[in-house]
Amino acid sequence: MSQHNAHNVHGVIEAFGVTTTSLSEFTNTGWPNFTLPHYERRAHRFMYTTGSDLLAFSPVVTEENRALWEAYSVDNQGWIAESLGVKAGNVSLNIPNEIHSSPNSDEEDVYYVPLWQMSPITEDTSFVNFDLLSHPTFHRIFNYVMETKEPVLSEVLDITALFGPNAPNSSGHPQSLMVQPIFKDFDEQSKEVVAILIAVIPWDIYFENLLHEGAEGILAVLEDSCGDEFSYEINGPQ
């Protein structure tokens, strides 16, 4: 059952990725300049279905198109007001007008992964356009995704370093990132990664509704491939 829960999360985020590719192709998007329409509605449904704490969308930006992206991100702030449920004039957005990061200059190709759309979001927009590659663990995860063209589930992370004031409270549960590549089109040969989806996954969702009422006091000791261990007590569906 816990494996079923894990596959469900993966399947839903993969479907979200397919929808994003389809929308970008339909609108003839010139990447990285793309904003998912009705993001809050889509993300809210995703989080409800999967039990994830946060969903973020970030384009992959190169040095060559960085200036284009920075101009686009300033001109397309409406999604924040929409997500907050207010008119644009009623909230001070103050989105940074450039990517704030420290790219790894010793790599052959310099990429940026600016944090763009996310849910939930607060009125503190200081982390919009924060380059997620500034975080060394995320940088390693991103390199793996770019190399394999496959989604990856990270080790346990402190997500406040990535999402700042928008990081949701996990109530003490360890959290990992599920990172799903978004492809430019459906060409199985090229598989050009143009963006990524990031879901913050609390570990407890794998064990919800796992046992029937009355089956109590079951201890599950979890270990990830990075050597972290956590213990859960399962009492029926809780």
Side-chain angles (χ1 to χ4, degrees):
M1 185 64 179
S2 61
Q3 288 186 342
H4 172 77
N5 290 350
H7 285 301
N8 176 60
V9 174
H10 174 258
V12 174
I13 195 172
E14 185 177 39
F16 202 119
V18 170
T19 298
T20 305
T21 297
S22 178
L23 281 170
S24 69
E25 276 208 304
F26 182 77
T27 57
N28 196 25
T29 295
W31 288 97
N33 296 354
F34 182 73
T35 300
L36 274 162
H38 309 114
Y39 184 79
E40 186 64 29
R41 292 180 180 272
R42 297 174 188 272
H44 179 77
R45 190 62 189 173
F46 173 89
M47 292 186 290
Y48 174 81
T49 303
T50 62
S52 56
D53 288 336
L54 180 146
L55 183 69
F57 167 74
S58 293
V60 175
V61 177
T62 64
E63 191 64 45
E64 288 73 19
N65 57 32
R66 174 177 175 173
L68 292 174
W69 166 256
E70 290 173 341
Y72 173 86
S73 66
V74 171
D75 293 337
N76 291 269
Q77 303 175 6
W79 69 268
I80 297 182
E82 179 183 316
S83 293
L84 291 173
V86 298
K87 294 181 180 179
N90 293 343
V91 59
S92 178
L93 300 180
N94 298 319
I95 293 179
N97 60 6
E98 62 181 16
I99 298 172
H100 40 121
S101 73
S102 299
N104 192 342
S105 59
D106 59 358
E107 293 186 356
E108 182 176 347
D109 296 315
V110 176
Y111 291 106
Y112 305 89
V113 181
L115 186 57
W116 185 223
Q117 294 176 278
M118 68 191 110
S119 178
I121 188 169
T122 69
E123 291 187 14
D124 185 343
T125 58
S126 60
F127 263 59
V128 173
N129 263 345
F130 168 68
D131 182 18
L132 296 172
L133 296 186
S134 296
H135 190 289
T137 301
F138 188 88
H139 199 143
R140 173 174 50 79
I141 294 169
F142 174 78
N143 286 343
Y144 178 85
V145 170
M146 292 294 283
E147 180 179 349
T148 65
K149 316 296 184 183
E150 297 288 342
V152 63
L153 183 66
S154 77
E155 65 266 43
V156 172
L157 292 176
D158 176 7
I159 67 167
T160 57
L162 290 168
F163 303 109
N166 298 289
N169 186 350
S170 68
S171 301
H173 291 291
Q175 296 168 309
S176 293
L177 303 180
M178 182 169 284
V179 181
Q180 170 71 38
I182 304 297
F183 302 108
K184 182 177 181 180
D185 50 39
F186 295 111
D187 186 339
E188 290 295 325
Q189 298 301 316
S190 63
K191 282 195 167 185
E192 181 183 351
V193 179
V194 290
I196 56 172
L197 286 170
I198 309 155
V200 175
I201 308 296
W203 280 28
D204 60 302
I205 66 171
Y206 295 126
F207 301 97
E208 291 179 348
N209 302 309
L210 193 63
L211 301 177
H212 57 78
E213 291 285 357
E216 299 185 349
I218 305 298
L219 293 178
V221 180
L222 314 179
E223 181 179 359
D224 66 19
S225 58
C226 299
D228 296 317
E229 283 190 353
F230 300 92
S231 298
Y232 277 91
E233 180 179 343
I234 308 174
N235 293 313
Q238 304 298 321

